[in-house]
Amino acid sequence: MRVVSGKNKGIPLKAVPGNSTRPTTDKVKEAIFNMIGPYFQGGEGLDLFAGSGGLGIEALSRGLDLVIFVDKEGKAIHTIKENLSTCKLDSQAEIFRNDANRALKALQKREKRFDYIFLDPPYKKQQLENMLTFIDEADLLKGEGVIVCEHGSDISLPEAVNRLQQVRHEKYGIIGISIYSLQNGMED
């Protein structure tokens, strides 16, 4: 596992010890960023089931200004901090140990809005549809924003969830990627 591209290209990333998380492979990471980027002129991201922090770190390496990392596992939080430190990206990150749903409510209270939201929940606990609904209703996505959902390729997410429209869907072996954006795209 490494940073695929951008200013931190090639820096190796540690995985979370144990097998409670499964890191996004470099191939899938590259595919995701080719769909939504591949590079950014600033902006803010949310890496909600951050694990090792690979997706958020990739987004920072490719030009985002700030990423908020959330994971409920202590080992994951420790790994994220180590990986951010290795990449010298600590100043561009906020890290919270929290349950994903609680974290979304806390971000709503702070009136945070994101350009990019990465949702990569454990495949066995598929809750993506509920999270997409909450993100839309809580207005956590900016008008031009994008939500990337990583899920088992056997999972089929709806074409639309409230104002969110699925704009891309790809399969990479056992992994499915679904990308959503606001239907009108200009709600700011």
Side-chain angles (χ1 to χ4, degrees), residues 33-85:
F33 285 93
N34 283 341
M35 286 187 251
I36 65 169
Y39 299 98
F40 312 111
Q41 303 294 317
E44 294 191 0
L46 170 63
D47 193 347
L48 193 56
F49 298 84
S52 64
L55 286 172
I57 289 170
E58 188 71 34
L60 288 170
S61 179
R62 291 171 183 249
L64 285 192
D65 298 318
L66 174 83
V67 172
I68 294 178
F69 295 86
V70 178
D71 203 289
K72 66 177 189 194
E73 301 290 335
K75 286 190 282 194
I77 296 299
H78 181 75
T79 305
I80 293 164
K81 287 178 178 170
E82 276 187 87
N83 284 334
L84 284 165
S85 180

Short mmCIF file of all heavy atoms in Angstrom, two decimals, residues 33-85:
data_model
loop_
_atom_site.label_atom_id
_atom_site.label_comp_id
_atom_site.label_asym_id
_atom_site.label_seq_id
_atom_site.Cartn_x
_atom_site.Cartn_y
_atom_site.Cartn_z
N PHE A 33 -9.69 7.81 -8.24
CA PHE A 33 -9.24 9.18 -8.45
C PHE A 33 -9.22 9.57 -9.92
O PHE A 33 -9.39 10.74 -10.25
CB PHE A 33 -7.90 9.43 -7.74
CG PHE A 33 -8.10 9.56 -6.26
CD1 PHE A 33 -7.97 8.46 -5.43
CD2 PHE A 33 -8.49 10.77 -5.71
CE1 PHE A 33 -8.20 8.57 -4.07
CE2 PHE A 33 -8.72 10.89 -4.35
CZ PHE A 33 -8.59 9.78 -3.52
N ASN A 34 -9.09 8.59 -10.81
CA ASN A 34 -9.21 8.91 -12.24
C ASN A 34 -10.65 9.29 -12.57
O ASN A 34 -10.90 10.07 -13.48
CB ASN A 34 -8.74 7.74 -13.10
CG ASN A 34 -7.23 7.66 -13.15
OD1 ASN A 34 -6.53 8.63 -12.86
ND2 ASN A 34 -6.71 6.50 -13.49
N MET A 35 -11.62 8.72 -11.82
CA MET A 35 -13.03 9.05 -12.06
C MET A 35 -13.40 10.43 -11.50
O MET A 35 -14.19 11.14 -12.09
CB MET A 35 -13.94 8.00 -11.41
CG MET A 35 -13.99 6.68 -12.14
SD MET A 35 -15.24 5.61 -11.38
CE MET A 35 -14.22 4.37 -10.60
N ILE A 36 -12.84 10.81 -10.35
CA ILE A 36 -13.29 12.04 -9.69
C ILE A 36 -12.28 13.17 -9.79
O ILE A 36 -12.59 14.29 -9.42
CB ILE A 36 -13.62 11.80 -8.19
CG1 ILE A 36 -12.36 11.42 -7.41
CG2 ILE A 36 -14.73 10.78 -8.05
CD1 ILE A 36 -12.56 11.43 -5.90
N GLY A 37 -11.10 12.94 -10.26
CA GLY A 37 -10.03 13.94 -10.25
C GLY A 37 -9.46 14.13 -11.64
O GLY A 37 -10.14 14.62 -12.50
N PRO A 38 -8.25 13.67 -11.83
CA PRO A 38 -7.42 12.95 -10.85
C PRO A 38 -6.73 13.87 -9.84
O PRO A 38 -6.26 13.40 -8.82
CB PRO A 38 -6.39 12.23 -11.70
CG PRO A 38 -6.29 13.04 -12.94
CD PRO A 38 -7.64 13.66 -13.15
N TYR A 39 -6.71 15.19 -10.09
CA TYR A 39 -6.06 16.11 -9.16
C TYR A 39 -7.06 17.21 -8.78
O TYR A 39 -8.03 17.43 -9.48
CB TYR A 39 -4.78 16.71 -9.77
CG TYR A 39 -3.79 15.64 -10.08
CD1 TYR A 39 -3.67 15.13 -11.37
CD2 TYR A 39 -3.00 15.08 -9.07
CE1 TYR A 39 -2.79 14.09 -11.64
CE2 TYR A 39 -2.13 14.06 -9.34
CZ TYR A 39 -2.03 13.56 -10.62
OH TYR A 39 -1.17 12.52 -10.88
N PHE A 40 -6.79 17.87 -7.65
CA PHE A 40 -7.74 18.85 -7.13
C PHE A 40 -7.06 20.19 -6.89
O PHE A 40 -5.89 20.24 -6.53
CB PHE A 40 -8.33 18.35 -5.80
CG PHE A 40 -8.81 16.93 -5.86
CD1 PHE A 40 -8.16 15.92 -5.17
CD2 PHE A 40 -9.92 16.58 -6.63
CE1 PHE A 40 -8.59 14.60 -5.24
CE2 PHE A 40 -10.36 15.27 -6.70
CZ PHE A 40 -9.70 14.28 -6.01
N GLN A 41 -7.83 21.24 -7.08
CA GLN A 41 -7.37 22.60 -6.76
C GLN A 41 -7.98 22.98 -5.42
O GLN A 41 -8.89 23.77 -5.34
CB GLN A 41 -7.85 23.58 -7.84
CG GLN A 41 -7.42 23.24 -9.24
CD GLN A 41 -5.92 23.34 -9.41
OE1 GLN A 41 -5.30 24.28 -8.93
NE2 GLN A 41 -5.33 22.38 -10.07
N GLY A 42 -7.51 22.36 -4.35
CA GLY A 42 -8.04 22.65 -3.02
C GLY A 42 -9.34 21.91 -2.76
O GLY A 42 -9.72 21.01 -3.51
N GLY A 43 -10.01 22.30 -1.68
CA GLY A 43 -11.27 21.66 -1.30
C GLY A 43 -11.10 20.83 -0.03
O GLY A 43 -9.98 20.65 0.47
N GLU A 44 -12.23 20.36 0.50
CA GLU A 44 -12.22 19.58 1.74
C GLU A 44 -12.87 18.22 1.52
O GLU A 44 -13.84 18.09 0.77
CB GLU A 44 -12.97 20.33 2.85
CG GLU A 44 -12.27 21.60 3.25
CD GLU A 44 -12.85 22.22 4.52
OE1 GLU A 44 -13.81 21.67 5.09
OE2 GLU A 44 -12.32 23.27 4.92
N GLY A 45 -12.31 17.22 2.21
CA GLY A 45 -12.82 15.86 2.08
C GLY A 45 -13.15 15.25 3.43
O GLY A 45 -12.67 15.69 4.47
N LEU A 46 -13.96 14.21 3.38
CA LEU A 46 -14.32 13.43 4.56
C LEU A 46 -14.05 11.96 4.23
O LEU A 46 -14.58 11.44 3.26
CB LEU A 46 -15.80 13.63 4.91
CG LEU A 46 -16.39 12.70 5.98
CD1 LEU A 46 -15.71 12.91 7.33
CD2 LEU A 46 -17.90 12.91 6.10
N ASP A 47 -13.19 11.33 5.02
CA ASP A 47 -12.89 9.90 4.88
C ASP A 47 -13.55 9.23 6.08
O ASP A 47 -13.02 9.22 7.18
CB ASP A 47 -11.37 9.69 4.87
CG ASP A 47 -10.97 8.29 4.43
OD1 ASP A 47 -11.85 7.41 4.36
OD2 ASP A 47 -9.77 8.08 4.16
N LEU A 48 -14.78 8.69 5.87
CA LEU A 48 -15.64 8.34 6.99
C LEU A 48 -15.34 6.99 7.65
O LEU A 48 -15.48 6.87 8.85
CB LEU A 48 -17.11 8.38 6.55
CG LEU A 48 -18.13 8.35 7.67
CD1 LEU A 48 -17.92 9.45 8.69
CD2 LEU A 48 -19.53 8.44 7.10
N PHE A 49 -14.96 6.00 6.90
CA PHE A 49 -14.54 4.72 7.51
C PHE A 49 -13.07 4.60 7.15
O PHE A 49 -12.67 3.79 6.34
CB PHE A 49 -15.33 3.55 6.92
CG PHE A 49 -16.81 3.63 7.20
CD1 PHE A 49 -17.64 4.37 6.38
CD2 PHE A 49 -17.36 2.96 8.28
CE1 PHE A 49 -19.01 4.44 6.63
CE2 PHE A 49 -18.72 3.03 8.54
CZ PHE A 49 -19.54 3.77 7.70
N ALA A 50 -12.27 5.48 7.77
CA ALA A 50 -10.94 5.79 7.23
C ALA A 50 -9.97 4.61 7.25
O ALA A 50 -9.09 4.54 6.41
CB ALA A 50 -10.35 6.98 7.97
N GLY A 51 -10.09 3.68 8.20
CA GLY A 51 -9.13 2.57 8.25
C GLY A 51 -7.72 3.09 8.40
O GLY A 51 -7.39 3.76 9.37
N SER A 52 -6.87 2.85 7.41
CA SER A 52 -5.48 3.32 7.44
C SER A 52 -5.37 4.77 6.97
O SER A 52 -4.31 5.37 7.02
CB SER A 52 -4.61 2.44 6.56
OG SER A 52 -5.03 2.56 5.21
N GLY A 53 -6.48 5.33 6.45
CA GLY A 53 -6.47 6.70 5.95
C GLY A 53 -6.07 6.81 4.49
O GLY A 53 -5.88 7.90 3.97
N GLY A 54 -5.94 5.68 3.81
CA GLY A 54 -5.41 5.66 2.44
C GLY A 54 -6.14 6.55 1.46
O GLY A 54 -5.52 7.26 0.67
N LEU A 55 -7.49 6.55 1.48
CA LEU A 55 -8.24 7.36 0.51
C LEU A 55 -8.08 8.85 0.80
O LEU A 55 -7.83 9.64 -0.11
CB LEU A 55 -9.72 6.97 0.52
CG LEU A 55 -10.06 5.63 -0.14
CD1 LEU A 55 -11.53 5.27 0.10
CD2 LEU A 55 -9.77 5.66 -1.63
N GLY A 56 -8.20 9.23 2.07
CA GLY A 56 -8.04 10.64 2.43
C GLY A 56 -6.64 11.16 2.18
O GLY A 56 -6.46 12.29 1.71
N ILE A 57 -5.65 10.33 2.48
CA ILE A 57 -4.25 10.72 2.24
C ILE A 57 -4.00 10.88 0.74
O ILE A 57 -3.35 11.82 0.30
CB ILE A 57 -3.28 9.72 2.89
CG1 ILE A 57 -3.35 9.89 4.42
CG2 ILE A 57 -1.85 9.89 2.36
CD1 ILE A 57 -2.63 8.81 5.21
N GLU A 58 -4.56 9.98 -0.05
CA GLU A 58 -4.45 10.08 -1.51
C GLU A 58 -5.06 11.40 -1.99
O GLU A 58 -4.48 12.11 -2.83
CB GLU A 58 -5.14 8.90 -2.18
CG GLU A 58 -4.93 8.79 -3.66
CD GLU A 58 -3.51 8.37 -4.06
OE1 GLU A 58 -2.86 7.59 -3.34
OE2 GLU A 58 -3.04 8.84 -5.12
N ALA A 59 -6.22 11.76 -1.42
CA ALA A 59 -6.89 13.00 -1.81
C ALA A 59 -6.05 14.22 -1.44
O ALA A 59 -5.95 15.18 -2.21
CB ALA A 59 -8.27 13.07 -1.15
N LEU A 60 -5.42 14.20 -0.26
CA LEU A 60 -4.53 15.30 0.15
C LEU A 60 -3.32 15.38 -0.77
O LEU A 60 -2.92 16.46 -1.20
CB LEU A 60 -4.07 15.10 1.60
CG LEU A 60 -5.12 15.33 2.69
CD1 LEU A 60 -4.59 14.87 4.04
CD2 LEU A 60 -5.55 16.80 2.74
N SER A 61 -2.75 14.23 -1.09
CA SER A 61 -1.59 14.19 -1.97
C SER A 61 -1.91 14.78 -3.35
O SER A 61 -1.07 15.39 -3.99
CB SER A 61 -1.10 12.74 -2.12
OG SER A 61 0.02 12.68 -2.98
N ARG A 62 -3.18 14.62 -3.76
CA ARG A 62 -3.60 15.09 -5.07
C ARG A 62 -4.19 16.50 -5.04
O ARG A 62 -4.76 16.95 -6.03
CB ARG A 62 -4.61 14.11 -5.67
CG ARG A 62 -3.99 12.78 -6.04
CD ARG A 62 -5.04 11.78 -6.43
NE ARG A 62 -4.50 10.46 -6.73
CZ ARG A 62 -4.47 9.92 -7.95
NH1 ARG A 62 -4.93 10.57 -8.99
NH2 ARG A 62 -3.99 8.70 -8.11
N GLY A 63 -4.11 17.19 -3.88
CA GLY A 63 -4.43 18.61 -3.88
C GLY A 63 -5.54 19.10 -2.97
O GLY A 63 -5.79 20.31 -2.94
N LEU A 64 -6.25 18.23 -2.23
CA LEU A 64 -7.23 18.76 -1.29
C LEU A 64 -6.51 19.52 -0.18
O LEU A 64 -5.38 19.20 0.17
CB LEU A 64 -8.09 17.64 -0.67
CG LEU A 64 -9.17 17.00 -1.54
CD1 LEU A 64 -10.11 16.14 -0.70
CD2 LEU A 64 -9.97 18.01 -2.33
N ASP A 65 -7.19 20.52 0.40
CA ASP A 65 -6.61 21.33 1.47
C ASP A 65 -6.70 20.65 2.83
O ASP A 65 -5.83 20.78 3.66
CB ASP A 65 -7.34 22.68 1.59
CG ASP A 65 -7.21 23.51 0.33
OD1 ASP A 65 -6.11 23.56 -0.24
OD2 ASP A 65 -8.23 24.11 -0.08
N LEU A 66 -7.83 19.96 3.06
CA LEU A 66 -8.10 19.39 4.38
C LEU A 66 -8.93 18.12 4.22
O LEU A 66 -9.83 18.09 3.37
CB LEU A 66 -8.90 20.38 5.23
CG LEU A 66 -9.38 19.85 6.59
CD1 LEU A 66 -8.26 19.95 7.62
CD2 LEU A 66 -10.61 20.60 7.07
N VAL A 67 -8.62 17.12 5.02
CA VAL A 67 -9.48 15.93 5.07
C VAL A 67 -9.75 15.62 6.54
O VAL A 67 -8.86 15.67 7.38
CB VAL A 67 -8.83 14.70 4.38
CG1 VAL A 67 -9.66 13.43 4.63
CG2 VAL A 67 -8.70 14.94 2.88
N ILE A 68 -11.02 15.32 6.83
CA ILE A 68 -11.41 14.86 8.16
C ILE A 68 -11.48 13.34 8.09
O ILE A 68 -12.17 12.78 7.23
CB ILE A 68 -12.75 15.47 8.59
CG1 ILE A 68 -12.59 16.99 8.77
CG2 ILE A 68 -13.25 14.82 9.89
CD1 ILE A 68 -13.85 17.72 9.15
N PHE A 69 -10.73 12.68 8.97
CA PHE A 69 -10.67 11.22 9.03
C PHE A 69 -11.49 10.75 10.22
O PHE A 69 -11.30 11.25 11.33
CB PHE A 69 -9.23 10.74 9.20
CG PHE A 69 -8.33 11.06 8.04
CD1 PHE A 69 -7.68 12.29 7.95
CD2 PHE A 69 -8.13 10.13 7.02
CE1 PHE A 69 -6.85 12.59 6.89
CE2 PHE A 69 -7.29 10.43 5.95
CZ PHE A 69 -6.66 11.65 5.88
N VAL A 70 -12.36 9.77 10.01
CA VAL A 70 -13.17 9.21 11.10
C VAL A 70 -13.08 7.70 11.06
O VAL A 70 -13.24 7.08 10.00
CB VAL A 70 -14.66 9.63 10.96
CG1 VAL A 70 -15.49 8.99 12.07
CG2 VAL A 70 -14.82 11.14 10.97
N ASP A 71 -12.81 7.11 12.21
CA ASP A 71 -12.89 5.65 12.33
C ASP A 71 -13.21 5.35 13.79
O ASP A 71 -12.83 6.12 14.68
CB ASP A 71 -11.59 4.97 11.91
CG ASP A 71 -11.83 3.51 11.50
OD1 ASP A 71 -12.11 2.67 12.38
OD2 ASP A 71 -11.74 3.22 10.29
N LYS A 72 -13.90 4.25 14.04
CA LYS A 72 -14.26 3.96 15.44
C LYS A 72 -13.23 3.07 16.13
O LYS A 72 -13.27 2.91 17.34
CB LYS A 72 -15.66 3.35 15.53
CG LYS A 72 -15.79 1.99 14.89
CD LYS A 72 -17.18 1.44 15.08
CE LYS A 72 -17.18 0.02 14.62
NZ LYS A 72 -18.40 -0.62 14.41
N GLU A 73 -12.28 2.51 15.37
CA GLU A 73 -11.27 1.61 15.94
C GLU A 73 -10.03 2.39 16.37
O GLU A 73 -9.46 3.14 15.58
CB GLU A 73 -10.84 0.56 14.90
CG GLU A 73 -11.97 -0.30 14.37
CD GLU A 73 -12.50 -1.28 15.41
OE1 GLU A 73 -11.74 -1.64 16.35
OE2 GLU A 73 -13.67 -1.65 15.30
N GLY A 74 -9.59 2.16 17.60
CA GLY A 74 -8.39 2.81 18.10
C GLY A 74 -7.16 2.50 17.27
O GLY A 74 -6.32 3.37 17.02
N LYS A 75 -7.04 1.23 16.81
CA LYS A 75 -5.87 0.84 16.00
C LYS A 75 -5.85 1.60 14.69
O LYS A 75 -4.80 1.98 14.18
CB LYS A 75 -5.89 -0.67 15.71
CG LYS A 75 -5.51 -1.53 16.91
CD LYS A 75 -5.31 -2.98 16.53
CE LYS A 75 -6.63 -3.70 16.34
NZ LYS A 75 -6.54 -5.15 16.29
N ALA A 76 -7.03 1.84 14.13
CA ALA A 76 -7.12 2.59 12.88
C ALA A 76 -6.68 4.03 13.09
O ALA A 76 -5.90 4.57 12.30
CB ALA A 76 -8.55 2.53 12.33
N ILE A 77 -7.15 4.65 14.17
CA ILE A 77 -6.79 6.05 14.47
C ILE A 77 -5.27 6.17 14.61
O ILE A 77 -4.65 7.09 14.05
CB ILE A 77 -7.51 6.53 15.75
CG1 ILE A 77 -9.03 6.55 15.56
CG2 ILE A 77 -6.98 7.89 16.20
CD1 ILE A 77 -9.54 7.47 14.47
N HIS A 78 -4.66 5.23 15.31
CA HIS A 78 -3.21 5.22 15.49
C HIS A 78 -2.50 5.12 14.12
O HIS A 78 -1.54 5.84 13.84
CB HIS A 78 -2.80 4.07 16.42
CG HIS A 78 -1.33 4.00 16.66
ND1 HIS A 78 -0.68 4.89 17.50
CD2 HIS A 78 -0.37 3.17 16.17
CE1 HIS A 78 0.62 4.60 17.50
NE2 HIS A 78 0.82 3.57 16.70
N THR A 79 -3.00 4.22 13.27
CA THR A 79 -2.40 4.02 11.94
C THR A 79 -2.55 5.27 11.08
O THR A 79 -1.62 5.66 10.37
CB THR A 79 -3.05 2.80 11.25
OG1 THR A 79 -2.92 1.66 12.11
CG2 THR A 79 -2.38 2.48 9.92
N ILE A 80 -3.73 5.91 11.12
CA ILE A 80 -3.95 7.14 10.35
C ILE A 80 -2.93 8.20 10.77
O ILE A 80 -2.30 8.84 9.92
CB ILE A 80 -5.39 7.67 10.56
CG1 ILE A 80 -6.42 6.71 9.96
CG2 ILE A 80 -5.55 9.08 9.96
CD1 ILE A 80 -7.84 6.95 10.45
N LYS A 81 -2.76 8.36 12.08
CA LYS A 81 -1.81 9.37 12.58
C LYS A 81 -0.40 9.07 12.09
O LYS A 81 0.32 9.97 11.66
CB LYS A 81 -1.86 9.43 14.11
CG LYS A 81 -3.11 10.10 14.63
CD LYS A 81 -3.16 10.11 16.15
CE LYS A 81 -4.43 10.83 16.62
NZ LYS A 81 -4.68 10.69 18.05
N GLU A 82 -0.01 7.79 12.15
CA GLU A 82 1.33 7.40 11.66
C GLU A 82 1.49 7.70 10.18
O GLU A 82 2.51 8.26 9.75
CB GLU A 82 1.56 5.90 11.88
CG GLU A 82 2.04 5.53 13.27
CD GLU A 82 2.39 4.05 13.32
OE1 GLU A 82 3.53 3.69 12.99
OE2 GLU A 82 1.48 3.26 13.68
N ASN A 83 0.48 7.34 9.38
CA ASN A 83 0.56 7.54 7.93
C ASN A 83 0.58 9.02 7.57
O ASN A 83 1.33 9.45 6.68
CB ASN A 83 -0.59 6.82 7.21
CG ASN A 83 -0.36 5.32 7.14
OD1 ASN A 83 0.77 4.84 7.16
ND2 ASN A 83 -1.45 4.57 7.05
N LEU A 84 -0.23 9.83 8.27
CA LEU A 84 -0.22 11.28 8.01
C LEU A 84 1.14 11.87 8.35
O LEU A 84 1.67 12.71 7.63
CB LEU A 84 -1.31 11.97 8.83
CG LEU A 84 -2.73 11.80 8.30
CD1 LEU A 84 -3.75 12.19 9.36
CD2 LEU A 84 -2.94 12.63 7.03
N SER A 85 1.72 11.41 9.46
CA SER A 85 3.02 11.89 9.89
C SER A 85 4.10 11.52 8.87
O SER A 85 4.92 12.35 8.50
CB SER A 85 3.33 11.31 11.27
OG SER A 85 4.58 11.76 11.70
#
